[in-house]
């Protein structure tokens, strides 16, 4: 049987300091923007919840659910549901994401929001892979992506990131490594 160990990558304190830093930057840059902040369920929920407590401007809140189906390690399809309650036409939106990884899910989200007639889209992600290349486009314009932490490749769990839908409740972010506990 294969066993795994988990090593802390980011502590709860490091995560909270990163969130405070990015919230400060957002508050300085966007005194009245965005109109709507959208949380990508389920992984971004803890980050979203902690981040919006630090924002000093008014905004509406909504959620989307992005599910990427894979077979044999190859992404087959990304399905997006939402926004669920807010009309986003002609509004500026900020997407809150857990991790900017391959970019396929984020690009699918950009395409999804184009059909709703949004004015503009930006992305704030807790984590960004060092290998991530920001080639995101919305309405043929580059999309800004801000992030708290840049991370190497690896299986990450905790603080919203899951291990087969579990371990999202862990306060730290861990790297899960193959090996004996």
């Amino acid at each position: 049987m294969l066993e795994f160990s988990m090593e802390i990558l980011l502590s709860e304190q490091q995560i909270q300091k990163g969130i405070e830093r990015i919230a400060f930057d957002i508050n300085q840059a966007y005194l009245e923007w965005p109109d709507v902040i959208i949380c990508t369920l389920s992984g971004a929920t803890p980050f979203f919840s902690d981040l919006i407590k630090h924002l000093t401007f008014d905004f509406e809140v909504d959620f989307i659910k992005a599910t990427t189906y894979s077979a044999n390690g190859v992404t087959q399809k990304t399905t997006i549901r939402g926004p669920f309650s807010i009309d986003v036409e002609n509004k500026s939106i900020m997407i809150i994401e857990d991790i900017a990884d391959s970019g396929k899910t984020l690009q699918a989200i950009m395409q999804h929001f184009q059909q709703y007639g949004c004015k503009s889209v930006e992305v704030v992600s807790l984590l960004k892979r060092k290998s991530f290349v920001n080639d995101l486009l919305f309405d043929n314009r580059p999309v800004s992506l801000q992030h708290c932490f840049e991370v190497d490749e690896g299986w990450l769990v905790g603080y919203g990131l899951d291990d087969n839908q579990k371990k999202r409740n862990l306060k730290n972010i861990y790297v899960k490594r193959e090996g004996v506990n």
Side-chain angles (χ1 to χ4, degrees):
M1 183 167 128
L2 207 52
E3 294 190 31
F4 297 91
S5 63
M6 294 194 334
E7 300 171 18
I8 293 178
L9 175 67
L10 294 166
S11 70
E12 179 180 16
Q13 293 78 19
Q14 289 172 303
I15 294 167
Q16 293 307 315
K17 285 184 186 201
I19 291 170
E20 289 171 10
R21 277 192 309 269
I22 203 163
F24 178 82
D25 292 346
I26 292 168
N27 286 329
Q28 295 301 305
Y30 303 112
L31 299 174
E32 295 180 10
W33 188 98
D35 300 310
V36 182
I37 297 181
I38 296 181
C39 176
T40 305
L41 299 172
S42 294
T45 305
F47 174 46
F48 171 81
S49 176
D50 288 342
L51 175 65
I52 65 172
K53 294 173 191 173
H54 296 284
L55 300 179
T56 57
F57 49 88
D58 288 330
F59 51 88
E60 296 177 278
V61 168
D62 209 342
F63 301 85
I64 60 170
K65 177 74 173 169
T67 306
T68 302
Y69 299 96
S70 298
N72 300 325
V74 178
T75 300
Q76 301 296 320
K77 183 179 180 184
T78 300
T79 303
I80 299 168
R81 294 180 299 175
F84 296 111
S85 62
I86 295 175
D87 178 9
V88 293
E89 185 175 3
N90 292 319
K91 293 183 180 178
S92 299
I93 64 171
M94 179 178 285
I95 305 291
I96 306 300
E97 181 64 290
D98 56 355
I99 185 166
D101 204 343
S102 70
K104 292 178 182 177
T105 300
L106 281 171
Q107 191 57 57
I109 291 170
M110 298 304 110
Q111 292 169 354
H112 179 76
F113 277 102
Q114 278 186 245
Q115 71 184 346
Y116 286 96
C118 299
K119 187 175 3 176
S120 64
V121 176
E122 292 202 22
V123 177
V124 176
S125 183
L126 175 65
L127 306 172
K128 180 182 87 62
R129 295 273 189 203
K130 289 180 180 176
S131 61
F132 176 80
V133 175
N134 186 2
D135 56 1
L136 299 173
L137 295 174
F138 178 78
D139 201 22
N140 293 318
R141 295 183 312 251
V143 174
S144 168
L145 183 131
Q146 298 179 65
H147 62 281
C148 294
F149 303 99
E150 193 170 76
V151 295
D152 290 317
E153 298 302 312
W155 188 351
L156 305 178
V157 297
Y159 197 73
L161 301 162
D162 72 294
D163 180 5
N164 291 320
Q165 299 302 322
K166 297 180 181 170
K167 296 185 175 45
R168 292 185 191 274
N169 61 313
L170 300 175
K171 294 178 182 180
N172 303 312
I173 295 176
Y174 297 84
V175 177
K176 189 172 177 183
R177 300 196 192 279
E178 193 175 313
V180 179
N181 243 349

